[in-house]
Amino acid sequence: MLEWAVKTFPNLTLACSFGAEDVVLVDMLHKISPETDVFYLDTDLHFRETYETRDRLEARYGKTFIQIKPKLTLEEQAQQHGEELWKRDPNACCNIRKVQPLTEVLGRYDAWITGIRRDQAPTRANAKKVEYDVKFGLVKFNPLANWTSDDVWAYIRRENLDYNPLHDQSYPSIGCEPCTRPVAPGEDPRAGRWSGFDKTECGLHQ
């Protein structure tokens, strides 16, 4: 699928959050089209381990990932919306620090690649491998849509890939540090995201 995507949409990009699925896609894409752009949304709130994973991947593949920042710094956001907006209105915070920057960067491309899987959350259960992203106005590829978590980790181990060490500390899904906690045995894999709020998505895949 990635080979077809690159050939059919030369002006495409991979969105990378440095989670397990994304390190798989970075590896696959590097083998097929190492020059294809890979970007990440730098919210200024990621775990140290996430930034360190980025650095290791850049060194491994000899590639600089494109850093996409929000228009507001954390200080400016606090001045305009109050301190620690994520504690009061995580949707507003995600919109400022993720959705708006993503909208801007995707405007430069004809298609994008994501690491979402159908079994990650009910909101992703109907994800197609290829679909038109109405929200952002371009083609969206979800090559791992039908993969399981076991499939992802089998690939990571087989290819000896670098990955975020937080995955080994009960963080199956890793977002911004203030809004992510470890997941207890038996909990939903995304239960650690925005715990205490009726929220399971940041708005990028809704």
Side-chain angles (χ1 to χ4, degrees), residues 36-107:
T36 294
D37 287 348
V38 178
F39 77 88
Y40 66 101
L41 301 175
D42 190 348
T43 63
D44 299 310
L45 291 165
H46 291 307
F47 286 91
R48 170 181 53 81
E49 290 88 347
T50 299
Y51 290 112
E52 290 173 350
T53 301
R54 173 202 60 191
D55 295 343
R56 289 197 302 275
L57 291 174
E58 287 186 336
R60 175 176 181 142
Y61 298 108
K63 184 180 185 70
T64 299
F65 301 125
I66 300 170
Q67 180 190 57
I68 305 298
K69 301 270 281 186
K71 288 183 178 180
L72 297 181
T73 65
L74 289 173
E75 291 75 18
E76 291 168 338
Q77 179 173 300
Q79 290 170 2
Q80 295 184 27
H81 301 280
E83 294 286 344
E84 299 183 323
L85 177 61
W86 51 86
K87 287 186 176 180
R88 292 176 285 104
D89 191 344
N91 284 322
C93 189
C94 283
N95 187 57
I96 293 168
R97 312 209 71 76
K98 289 186 175 182
V99 179
Q100 292 178 14
L102 181 66
T103 302
E104 183 174 342
V105 68
L106 290 184

Side-chain angles (χ1 to χ4, degrees), residues 44-178:
D44 299 310
L45 291 165
H46 291 307
F47 286 91
R48 170 181 53 81
E49 290 88 347
T50 299
Y51 290 112
E52 290 173 350
T53 301
R54 173 202 60 191
D55 295 343
R56 289 197 302 275
L57 291 174
E58 287 186 336
R60 175 176 181 142
Y61 298 108
K63 184 180 185 70
T64 299
F65 301 125
I66 300 170
Q67 180 190 57
I68 305 298
K69 301 270 281 186
K71 288 183 178 180
L72 297 181
T73 65
L74 289 173
E75 291 75 18
E76 291 168 338
Q77 179 173 300
Q79 290 170 2
Q80 295 184 27
H81 301 280
E83 294 286 344
E84 299 183 323
L85 177 61
W86 51 86
K87 287 186 176 180
R88 292 176 285 104
D89 191 344
N91 284 322
C93 189
C94 283
N95 187 57
I96 293 168
R97 312 209 71 76
K98 289 186 175 182
V99 179
Q100 292 178 14
L102 181 66
T103 302
E104 183 174 342
V105 68
L106 290 184
R108 309 172 195 170
Y109 298 96
D110 299 320
W112 68 311
I113 305 163
T114 86
I116 67 172
R117 295 185 293 105
R118 293 175 190 141
D119 68 358
Q120 287 173 321
T123 51
R124 303 180 178 190
N126 297 317
K128 299 177 176 62
K129 285 203 166 188
V130 185
E131 54 192 0
Y132 186 75
D133 192 328
V134 176
K135 182 169 185 173
F136 297 107
L138 74 171
V139 175
K140 181 179 182 180
F141 290 93
N142 306 309
L144 308 183
N146 65 332
W147 282 36
T148 65
S149 178
D150 287 344
D151 293 330
V152 171
W153 286 101
Y155 186 99
I156 288 173
R157 295 186 184 98
R158 184 174 73 244
E159 302 299 324
N160 194 28
L161 300 186
D162 295 289
Y163 63 87
N164 195 322
L166 290 174
H167 287 309
D168 295 331
Q169 301 172 38
S170 301
Y171 287 86
S173 179
I174 304 167
C176 294
E177 186 168 8

